Amino acid sequence: MKRQIIHIDEDRCNGCGLCASACHEGAIAMVDGKAKLIRDDYCDGLGNCLPVCPTGAIRFVEREAAPFDEAAVKAAQAAKPAHCDPMDGCPGSRAHAIERPRQASAADAPSELNQWPVQIKLAPANAPYFRGADVLVAADCTAFACGSFHANFMKDRVTLIGCPKLDEGDYADKLTDILSLNDVRSLTVARMEVPCCGGIERAAQEAIARSGKDIPLSVSVLSVGGRLIANR
Protein backbone atom coordinates (compact mmCIF):
# COMPACT_ATOMS: atom_id res chain seq x y z
CA MET A 1 0.00 0.00 0.00
CA LYS A 2 1.11 3.59 -0.59
CA ARG A 3 1.26 5.63 2.61
CA GLN A 4 3.13 8.38 4.44
CA ILE A 5 6.33 7.15 6.05
CA ILE A 6 9.61 8.64 7.20
CA HIS A 7 12.74 8.87 5.09
CA ILE A 8 16.22 9.31 6.63
CA ASP A 9 18.92 11.12 4.65
CA GLU A 10 22.10 9.25 5.60
CA ASP A 11 24.34 12.05 4.34
CA ARG A 12 22.77 14.48 6.82
CA CYS A 13 22.51 12.03 9.73
CA ASN A 14 25.16 12.72 12.39
CA GLY A 15 24.55 9.49 14.28
CA CYS A 16 23.25 11.14 17.46
CA GLY A 17 20.56 8.47 17.96
CA LEU A 18 17.89 10.88 19.18
CA CYS A 19 15.42 9.67 16.57
CA ALA A 20 15.87 6.05 17.68
CA SER A 21 15.13 7.13 21.25
CA ALA A 22 12.04 9.08 20.16
CA CYS A 23 10.61 6.18 18.12
CA HIS A 24 8.70 4.22 20.75
CA GLU A 25 7.67 1.64 18.15
CA GLY A 26 11.26 0.59 17.42
CA ALA A 27 11.13 1.35 13.70
CA ILE A 28 14.49 3.15 13.81
CA ALA A 29 17.81 1.68 14.87
CA MET A 30 21.43 2.79 14.79
CA VAL A 31 23.38 0.79 12.20
CA ASP A 32 27.09 1.51 11.64
CA GLY A 33 26.69 4.91 13.29
CA LYS A 34 23.71 5.97 11.16
CA ALA A 35 19.98 6.00 11.83
CA LYS A 36 18.09 3.45 9.73
CA LEU A 37 14.38 2.75 9.23
CA ILE A 38 14.58 -0.99 9.85
CA ARG A 39 10.88 -1.89 9.81
CA ASP A 40 8.29 -0.16 7.63
CA ASP A 41 5.52 -1.95 9.51
CA TYR A 42 6.76 -0.49 12.82
CA CYS A 43 6.54 3.11 11.55
CA ASP A 44 3.18 4.65 12.47
CA GLY A 45 3.77 7.72 10.27
CA LEU A 46 3.19 10.16 13.15
CA GLY A 47 6.74 11.48 13.04
CA ASN A 48 7.81 11.69 16.69
CA CYS A 49 11.34 11.40 15.35
CA LEU A 50 11.21 14.51 13.15
CA PRO A 51 11.40 17.28 15.75
CA VAL A 52 14.30 15.72 17.66
CA CYS A 53 16.64 15.41 14.65
CA PRO A 54 19.27 18.20 14.99
CA THR A 55 20.33 18.07 11.33
CA GLY A 56 16.95 17.86 9.56
CA ALA A 57 17.84 14.45 8.15
CA ILE A 58 14.31 13.06 8.54
CA ARG A 59 11.28 13.92 6.42
CA PHE A 60 7.99 12.38 5.35
CA VAL A 61 7.63 10.73 1.95
CA GLU A 62 4.74 8.89 0.36
CA ARG A 63 5.71 5.51 -1.03
CA GLU A 64 4.81 1.85 -1.14
CA ALA A 65 5.24 0.47 2.37
CA ALA A 66 3.85 -2.25 4.58
CA PRO A 67 0.94 -1.03 6.71
CA PHE A 68 1.60 -0.13 10.33
CA ASP A 69 1.31 -3.31 12.40
CA GLU A 70 0.40 -2.24 15.93
CA ALA A 71 0.10 -5.82 17.15
CA ALA A 72 3.62 -6.65 15.98
CA VAL A 73 4.98 -3.52 17.68
CA LYS A 74 3.34 -4.42 20.98
CA ALA A 75 4.62 -7.99 20.74
CA ALA A 76 8.17 -6.74 20.12
CA GLN A 77 7.94 -4.34 23.05
CA ALA A 78 6.65 -7.09 25.33
CA ALA A 79 9.53 -9.34 24.29
CA LYS A 80 12.17 -6.85 25.41
CA PRO A 81 14.01 -7.68 28.65
CA ALA A 82 12.50 -6.00 31.70
CA HIS A 83 15.61 -3.87 32.20
CA CYS A 84 15.56 -2.51 28.65
CA ASP A 85 14.29 1.06 28.52
CA PRO A 86 12.51 1.81 25.22
CA MET A 87 13.91 5.32 25.44
CA ASP A 88 17.55 4.20 25.52
CA GLY A 89 17.98 3.99 21.74
CA CYS A 90 21.22 6.01 21.80
CA PRO A 91 24.08 4.09 23.45
CA GLY A 92 25.75 7.44 24.06
CA SER A 93 23.06 8.37 26.61
CA ARG A 94 22.76 5.06 28.42
CA ALA A 95 23.85 4.98 32.05
CA HIS A 96 27.05 3.08 32.82
CA ALA A 97 28.52 2.58 36.28
CA ILE A 98 32.29 2.11 36.01
CA GLU A 99 34.06 0.51 38.97
CA ARG A 100 37.78 1.01 39.38
CA PRO A 101 40.15 -0.02 42.18
CA ARG A 102 41.05 2.86 44.50
CA GLN A 103 44.64 4.02 44.24
CA ALA A 104 46.79 6.11 46.48
CA SER A 105 46.81 9.77 45.53
CA ALA A 106 49.70 10.94 43.39
CA ALA A 107 51.20 14.28 42.50
CA ASP A 108 49.47 16.16 39.72
CA ALA A 109 50.66 15.02 36.29
CA PRO A 110 51.68 17.85 33.93
CA SER A 111 49.22 18.82 31.23
CA GLU A 112 50.12 18.07 27.61
CA LEU A 113 47.84 20.79 26.24
CA ASN A 114 49.88 22.88 23.82
CA GLN A 115 47.45 25.61 22.76
CA TRP A 116 44.20 27.44 23.46
CA PRO A 117 41.32 27.42 22.61
CA VAL A 118 40.64 23.72 22.25
CA GLN A 119 37.00 23.70 21.09
CA ILE A 120 36.87 23.01 17.36
CA LYS A 121 34.50 25.88 16.65
CA LEU A 122 36.53 28.40 18.66
CA ALA A 123 40.01 27.63 17.32
CA PRO A 124 41.10 30.13 14.61
CA ALA A 125 41.71 28.24 11.39
CA ASN A 126 44.80 30.36 10.64
CA ALA A 127 46.36 30.05 14.11
CA PRO A 128 50.16 29.69 13.83
CA TYR A 129 50.22 26.57 16.02
CA PHE A 130 48.57 24.56 13.21
CA ARG A 131 51.54 25.04 10.87
CA GLY A 132 53.41 21.77 10.50
CA ALA A 133 51.41 20.31 13.39
CA ASP A 134 50.15 16.87 14.23
CA VAL A 135 46.50 17.50 15.11
CA LEU A 136 44.29 15.54 17.50
CA VAL A 137 40.52 15.81 17.06
CA ALA A 138 38.96 14.31 20.18
CA ALA A 139 35.41 13.71 21.32
CA ASP A 140 34.74 15.57 24.57
CA CYS A 141 34.31 12.42 26.68
CA THR A 142 37.57 10.71 25.71
CA ALA A 143 39.86 12.60 28.08
CA PHE A 144 37.51 11.90 31.00
CA ALA A 145 37.26 8.19 30.19
CA CYS A 146 40.97 7.55 29.68
CA GLY A 147 43.30 8.39 32.57
CA SER A 148 46.41 8.41 30.36
CA PHE A 149 44.82 10.54 27.65
CA HIS A 150 47.28 13.44 27.98
CA ALA A 151 50.35 11.25 27.67
CA ASN A 152 48.99 8.82 25.07
CA PHE A 153 47.06 11.18 22.79
CA MET A 154 47.74 14.87 23.46
CA LYS A 155 51.52 14.85 23.82
CA ASP A 156 53.20 16.75 20.95
CA ARG A 157 49.85 17.36 19.24
CA VAL A 158 47.54 20.33 18.79
CA THR A 159 44.30 19.28 20.49
CA LEU A 160 40.78 20.07 19.28
CA ILE A 161 37.66 18.81 21.03
CA GLY A 162 33.97 18.62 20.23
CA CYS A 163 30.76 16.63 20.64
CA PRO A 164 28.84 15.89 17.42
CA LYS A 165 25.73 15.06 19.40
CA LEU A 166 25.50 18.28 21.41
CA ASP A 167 27.16 20.90 19.20
CA GLU A 168 25.19 22.48 16.39
CA GLY A 169 26.39 22.30 12.81
CA ASP A 170 29.04 20.20 11.12
CA TYR A 171 32.71 20.15 12.08
CA ALA A 172 33.76 19.28 8.52
CA ASP A 173 33.69 22.91 7.38
CA LYS A 174 35.98 24.16 10.16
CA LEU A 175 38.36 21.21 9.86
CA THR A 176 38.53 21.71 6.10
CA ASP A 177 39.59 25.32 6.64
CA ILE A 178 42.27 24.26 9.12
CA LEU A 179 43.69 21.61 6.79
CA SER A 180 43.51 23.85 3.72
CA LEU A 181 45.24 26.82 5.32
CA ASN A 182 48.00 24.93 7.11
CA ASP A 183 50.62 22.30 6.41
CA VAL A 184 49.14 19.81 8.88
CA ARG A 185 51.32 16.69 9.06
CA SER A 186 48.80 14.21 10.45
CA LEU A 187 45.29 13.98 11.86
CA THR A 188 44.35 11.70 14.76
CA VAL A 189 40.75 11.15 15.84
CA ALA A 190 39.99 9.92 19.35
CA ARG A 191 36.36 8.91 19.81
CA MET A 192 34.17 6.87 22.10
CA GLU A 193 32.62 3.58 21.03
CA VAL A 194 29.07 5.03 21.02
CA PRO A 195 27.47 5.62 17.58
CA CYS A 196 27.00 9.37 18.00
CA CYS A 197 30.79 9.76 18.12
CA GLY A 198 30.90 8.57 14.52
CA GLY A 199 30.10 12.14 13.49
CA ILE A 200 33.51 13.40 14.54
CA GLU A 201 35.26 10.65 12.59
CA ARG A 202 33.23 11.31 9.45
CA ALA A 203 33.92 15.06 9.71
CA ALA A 204 37.67 14.40 9.76
CA GLN A 205 37.45 12.08 6.75
CA GLU A 206 35.38 14.61 4.83
CA ALA A 207 37.73 17.48 5.71
CA ILE A 208 40.75 15.60 4.38
CA ALA A 209 38.90 14.79 1.16
CA ARG A 210 37.80 18.41 0.71
CA SER A 211 41.27 19.79 1.39
CA GLY A 212 42.69 17.78 -1.50
CA LYS A 213 45.74 16.92 0.61
CA ASP A 214 47.22 13.53 1.40
CA ILE A 215 47.09 13.82 5.19
CA PRO A 216 47.50 10.60 7.21
CA LEU A 217 44.45 9.84 9.37
CA SER A 218 44.37 7.49 12.34
CA VAL A 219 41.33 6.73 14.50
CA SER A 220 41.38 5.44 18.07
CA VAL A 221 38.15 4.15 19.61
CA LEU A 222 37.75 4.05 23.39
CA SER A 223 35.23 2.06 25.43
CA VAL A 224 33.06 3.87 27.96
CA GLY A 225 35.44 2.51 30.58
CA GLY A 226 38.42 4.16 28.87
CA ARG A 227 39.94 1.04 27.29
CA LEU A 228 41.39 1.31 23.79
CA ILE A 229 39.29 -1.11 21.73
CA ALA A 230 40.25 -0.21 18.15
CA ASN A 231 42.98 1.52 16.20
CA ARG A 232 42.58 2.10 12.50
Side-chain angles (χ1 to χ4, degrees), residues 209-227:
R210 286 191 201 170
S211 74
K213 297 182 178 181
D214 186 17
I215 299 173
L217 172 66
S218 60
V219 179
S220 296
V221 183
L222 302 176
S223 72
V224 294
R227 181 171 55 89

Side-chain angles (χ1 to χ4, degrees), residues 7-228:
H7 172 78
I8 302 172
D9 184 340
E10 289 190 19
D11 292 334
R12 300 182 69 175
C13 174
N14 69 357
C16 71
L18 292 176
C19 57
S21 297
C23 181
H24 300 168
E25 292 73 29
I28 301 173
M30 303 305 298
V31 180
D32 296 330
K34 293 282 191 175
K36 303 274 189 182
L37 176 61
I38 58 169
R39 292 283 301 258
D40 284 5
D41 58 335
Y42 281 17
C43 178
D44 59 10
L46 298 180
N48 287 341
C49 53
L50 269 70
V52 301
C53 179
T55 64
I58 305 175
R59 60 186 173 88
F60 278 123
V61 297
E62 188 170 318
R63 64 169 174 83
E64 289 291 333
F68 175 57
D69 190 340
E70 185 176 4
V73 169
K74 289 182 176 179
Q77 291 172 339
K80 285 185 178 181
H83 67 272
C84 183
D85 184 347
M87 293 296 289
D88 69 355
C90 177
S93 2
R94 289 179 189 155
H96 294 265
I98 300 169
E99 296 184 5
R100 305 186 194 278
R102 289 190 175 275
Q103 298 179 351
S105 60
D108 290 341
S111 171
E112 295 292 349
L113 184 63
N114 293 304
Q115 96 294 333
W116 188 267
V118 295
Q119 227 291 337
I120 295 173
K121 294 191 174 183
L122 297 181
N126 60 351
Y129 48 71
F130 284 123
R131 297 169 193 161
D134 296 301
V135 176
L136 168 69
V137 180
D140 287 350
C141 301
T142 52
F144 292 94
C146 178
S148 59
F149 194 81
H150 277 241
N152 291 348
F153 291 94
M154 293 171 58
K155 186 177 175 61
D156 299 325
R157 291 189 175 106
V158 170
T159 300
L160 298 174
I161 65 170
C163 177
K165 181 171 182 176
L166 300 180
D167 293 342
E168 293 183 1
D170 187 354
Y171 296 132
D173 292 339
K174 184 62 171 286
L175 292 177
T176 298
D177 289 342
I178 291 171
L179 299 183
S180 299
L181 294 173
N182 304 280
D183 185 22
V184 171
R185 292 189 303 184
S186 68
L187 196 61
T188 299
V189 170
R191 53 162 292 189
M192 302 300 291
E193 62 180 322
V194 296
C196 51
C197 256
I200 209 162
E201 180 178 347
R202 287 190 295 275
Q205 294 169 338
E206 186 174 341
I208 291 175
R210 286 191 201 170
S211 74
K213 297 182 178 181
D214 186 17
I215 299 173
L217 172 66
S218 60
V219 179
S220 296
V221 183
L222 302 176
S223 72
V224 294
R227 181 171 55 89
L228 180 65

